Amino acid sequence: MENSEQLYKVLSERILVLDGAMGTMLQRYKFEEEDYRGERFKNWEYPLKGNNDLLSLTQPQAIEEVHRKYLEAGADIIETNTFSGTTIAMADYHMEDLVYELNFESAKIARKVCDEFTKKNPEKPRFVAGSMGPTNKTASLSPDVNDPGFRAITFDELRIAYKQQAEALLDGGSDILLVETIFDTLNAKAALFAIDEIQEERNIQIPIMVSGTITDASGRTLSGQTAEAFLISISHLNLLSVGFNCALGAKQLTPYLETLSNNSNFYISAYPNAGLPNAFGQYDESPEFMAEQIREYAEKGLINVVGGCCGTTPEHIKAISDLVKNYEPRKINVTI
């Protein structure tokens, strides 16, 4: 991974900015069923609207445009359009056979735009993070209240699905693998196990970012772990960073980031939502307001990577990018 050394170097020098929400930006295009289908899938027998990952194949120019807007706003790291890019999540659309291609092409689009920006300004290298979402199944909890022992998926099924996704993301040019929005640490462990297998098979070191999600004011993940328990359960791996994203706004996330920061020797990442959703499922925090909330992270020296999740736009990322330029990154003793 030729960009790894460069990545560690810039992480030690400044706070890196991650991009904002892909879904929020894609909503602006108001794509309809036929846009999702494109020419290639026009006779697909199942509905495809809402399958945002598919747009990497049918509307690649839109995906490229979103990436470009985030890079122009100051993002150092952009995420591939692959949040649902596993056979498990793609089963909803009967598109399991497309998973390798979806991930490969998504990574390729992100890689192309990143390289363009790095070439223009080598002082600010840009990196591609292969996004690996949590899937829509959980290995720790039963979906059936009457049968607590039942599981909709096994660890091994998750491992196989994640491995296929990770290999395609790497083949397409990802610098980092980002296991994100983790609501069940067992799912994440399957992803990390799969990535570890690839590291051994390919004899490479892959920078891995892990980002959990605290689902409510109890300060726990959906499968019941506190921030500290979540950290302990993934700390056996050699990770690039650990952090939280989604579910909460920046202010609500602060105490959990403090827990991670005080107990970890990994870099710390945070990409909260633009506040909490309102009654209409919209996010109300303006770029200025959100950046002001994130100032607390920077002043307390809690973060190394910061960006935005649901409801965030290039305007939010620009405000965050302008803010963190003035702060030192959280210091850790790092060995590669």
Side-chain angles (χ1 to χ4, degrees), residues 9 30 39 42 63 100 165 190 192 203 247 267:
K9 182 179 180 297
K30 298 190 164 49
E39 198 48 44
K42 76 166 190 247
I63 304 302
Y100 184 90
Q165 181 180 31
L192 295 168
N203 196 20
Y267 289 115

Side-chain angles (χ1 to χ4, degrees), residues 117-175:
F117 275 76
T118 301
K119 203 171 166 194
K120 272 194 286 204
N121 182 6
E123 293 302 294
K124 188 176 166 71
R126 313 297 179 111
F127 303 95
V128 177
S131 165
M132 300 172 70
T135 83
N136 47 8
K137 302 247 168 90
T138 163
S140 290
L141 304 169
S142 171
D144 181 355
V145 289
N146 300 312
D147 185 359
F150 174 70
R151 295 292 177 269
I153 193 135
T154 66
F155 183 90
D156 217 43
E157 286 167 332
L158 283 161
R159 177 189 66 81
I160 290 163
Y162 276 129
K163 190 169 182 184
Q164 182 188 20
Q165 181 180 31
E167 287 179 325
L169 287 169
L170 292 168
D171 294 348
S174 300
D175 301 303

Side-chain angles (χ1 to χ4, degrees), residues 279-299:
F280 305 101
Q282 302 296 312
Y283 295 86
D284 297 328
E285 283 187 8
S286 68
E288 300 70 32
F289 187 83
M290 188 175 177
E292 212 33 64
Q293 307 267 301
I294 280 173
R295 185 188 297 277
E296 188 180 3
Y297 300 174
E299 282 177 347

Side-chain angles (χ1 to χ4, degrees), residues 84-108:
S84 302
T86 55
T87 48
I88 298 157
M90 280 296 146
D92 288 355
Y93 303 97
H94 303 266
M95 287 191 149
E96 296 94 324
D97 292 347
L98 286 167
V99 162
Y100 184 90
E101 186 186 356
L102 283 170
N103 285 281
F104 181 80
E105 291 301 326
S106 296
K108 234 169 82 175

